[in-house]
Amino acid sequence: MIHRLHQPDYDRWASQIKRTGGCRQPIHLRGKVEHYDQATGDLLHRYTTRTEPNGVLRVPCKTRRASRCPACAEVYRADTYQLVRAGLVGGKGVPETVSSHPCLFVTLTAPSFGAVHTRREKNGKVLPCHARRDAETCSHGHVMSCTDRHSADDQRLGEPLCPDCYDYNGSVLFNAVSPELWRRFTLALRRRFARLNGLTVKALREQVMISFAKVAEYQRRGVVHFHAVIRLDGPDGPSSPPPAWARADALAEAAQHAAEVVTTEVEPLGRTFRWGTQLDVRRITMDGDLTEQAVAAYIAKYATKAAECVGTLDRRVQPLDNLDELPVREHARRLIAACMRLGSHSGLADLRLVHWAHMLGFRGHFSTKSRRYSTTLGDLRAAREEHMRAEEVSTGRLPLFDEDTVLVIAHWEYAGQGLSIGEQALAAALTGTRLPGPAVMTDE
Ligand SMILES: [Zn+2]
Ligand SMILES: [Zn+2]
Ligand SMILES: [Zn+2]
């Protein structure tokens, strides 16, 4: 810390750090940008990192994972919120008339892979976990009953009543095939919605577009759920109203049906997977109990959570890792072990279970949307970068050039990542962020 403070270029370092917005693990870039006049070939401006502190420019890591970098994850969360919200009420290039389109909020769950400790509430009272009067004793000697009323932070939540009975293979395979199950769900939904309205799928497509935005959420037991916004548009997407006959109740019926009937196979093991029986389909309305703000906030919250909340690893499992020594919950260790075991099965190579073991088999994206749902994260980022560039021009840091007449040549290389312990303390003070806990330097 003292070393950094005494550097002659401390002020420049501090301004770099402020511009990362409190990023906990900024990426160091080495390189240069040159602006040339296209007509004359004259060099108009050159920026190089050679004169920067340590010869590098520090830029935000842009992770979406709050466990790695709260500041960048917050930017991602806010962008996701804006993206989901724009698809519900308009804005960011989506017309406000979209708010009158029929819209659902659907939660698709995973099936059971064995009894786990759970916390359920009824009328504000916590219910016993698994109260069974004639509870069976499993072949491992565990009584399949638990009358505890678990507190919200109870470490046993999500843990199986008997780990030896628990279907760990099923759990990680479900995560692995869930993106395919989702894809089949959307197809079945379209088919059913068309039939309910007496149309073929092709005829439906000419009159109605169905748009989706979804996030995956890990449950404590280590399987993913999906929360999705499903919206009806006219044939040209959010800017066109759906025909009057395209109604929310038929869409809800189609979603219900699709969730019940779709399956996907893991053929080499002869296993079939489907959604869990707990299905939640609700209408999103401007004034009802499920408002667009609530939905956007809910989806954005899960967009920055990965599997760490299950107590698994924040990084890939490496070939030399000793599974027994990984700092994870026993339940997560068994799920990771199932991924490693099934991952060596040649027939399951497509699922890439070893690669995604730390995600407990899930290799999908956390938040996805169909093409016409609303704006994109890329557009939101570009708008923000354009805003920052405009700011730099007005504060005189970048010369103002006409984009069409200037040739820009940039060359960048990765030169490392992170902050020293002393720098972390300075960065926290400079950006008003919390100091991280241990082990924040990463090599990824
Ligand atoms: Zn960051
Ligand atoms: Zn229990
Ligand atoms: Zn058992």
Side-chain angles (χ1 to χ4, degrees), residues 116-118 128-130 145-150 156-157 161:
V116 298
H117 294 281
T118 51
C129 170
H130 266 277
S145 167
C146 171
T147 52
D148 290 359
R149 296 167 199 268
H150 297 291
R156 286 174 297 167
L157 286 176
L161 266 54

Side-chain angles (χ1 to χ4, degrees), residues 138 140 162 165:
C138 77
H140 312 99
C162 175
C165 284

Side-chain angles (χ1 to χ4, degrees), residues 25 45 61 73 94 105 111 128 151 166-167 186 206-207 222 231 262 270 282 348-349 373 376 390 406 411 423:
Q25 46 176 14
H45 183 261
C61 71
V94 181
F105 187 56
S151 65
Y166 197 74
D167 181 9
T186 62
E206 281 159 14
Q207 299 182 60
R231 190 188 64 213
V262 292
R282 287 191 282 168
L348 303 177
Y373 175 74
T376 66
V406 173
H411 174 79
E423 288 173 338

Side-chain angles (χ1 to χ4, degrees), residues 99-324:
S99 63
S100 64
H101 297 193
C103 203
L104 301 177
F105 187 56
V106 174
T107 298
L108 294 160
T109 61
S112 170
F113 296 102
V116 298
H117 294 281
T118 51
R119 176 187 159 87
R120 284 171 302 137
E121 287 182 33
K122 198 176 177 188
N123 305 326
K125 275 179 65 183
V126 181
L127 300 175
C129 170
H130 266 277
R132 301 280 185 280
R133 195 168 300 129
D134 306 308
E136 286 177 34
T137 303
C138 77
S139 58
H140 312 99
H142 290 104
V143 181
M144 287 294 135
S145 167
C146 171
T147 52
D148 290 359
R149 296 167 199 268
H150 297 291
S151 65
D153 59 355
D154 193 319
Q155 287 300 304
R156 286 174 297 167
L157 286 176
E159 306 258 341
L161 266 54
C162 175
D164 294 323
C165 284
Y166 197 74
D167 181 9
Y168 284 95
N169 287 355
S171 178
V172 300
L173 287 170
F174 177 84
N175 283 348
V177 300
S178 62
E180 175 60 15
L181 202 53
W182 165 263
R183 196 183 69 84
R184 293 184 183 193
F185 167 78
T186 62
L187 296 177
L189 174 91
R190 280 197 183 91
R191 267 198 309 274
R192 188 67 174 188
F193 187 70
R195 184 185 294 179
L196 286 171
N197 289 290
L199 296 169
T200 63
V201 173
K202 187 166 171 287
L204 177 75
R205 199 175 294 131
E206 281 159 14
Q207 299 182 60
V208 172
M209 184 177 282
I210 305 179
S211 291
F212 305 89
K214 79 169 200 310
V215 284
E217 177 207 357
Y218 276 90
Q219 287 205 296
R220 292 282 297 239
R221 59 190 168 121
V223 282
V224 286
H225 274 187
F226 290 116
H227 302 285
V229 172
I230 306 176
R231 190 188 64 213
L232 290 178
D233 296 331
D236 300 323
S239 59
S240 55
W245 54 259
R247 296 174 55 84
D249 47 1
L251 186 64
E253 196 182 324
Q256 194 94 34
H257 174 81
E260 283 164 16
V261 300
V262 292
T263 60
T264 180
E265 313 275 328
V266 177
E267 271 165 24
L269 301 179
R271 293 197 62 158
T272 301
F273 291 92
R274 60 185 71 240
W275 299 111
T277 48
Q278 280 178 303
L279 171 74
D280 190 35
V281 178
R282 287 191 282 168
R283 281 195 67 176
I284 303 170
T285 53
M286 299 288 279
D287 42 13
D289 38 291
L290 189 63
T291 64
E292 72 286 342
Q293 258 90 359
V295 168
Y298 195 62
I299 288 202
K301 184 178 107 192
Y302 289 115
T304 57
K305 271 195 187 171
E308 302 97 72
C309 54
V310 183
T312 177
L313 280 188
D314 194 1
R315 59 167 177 84
R316 292 226 156 93
V317 179
Q318 305 296 332
L320 293 176
D321 276 331
N322 182 346
L323 277 192
D324 295 333

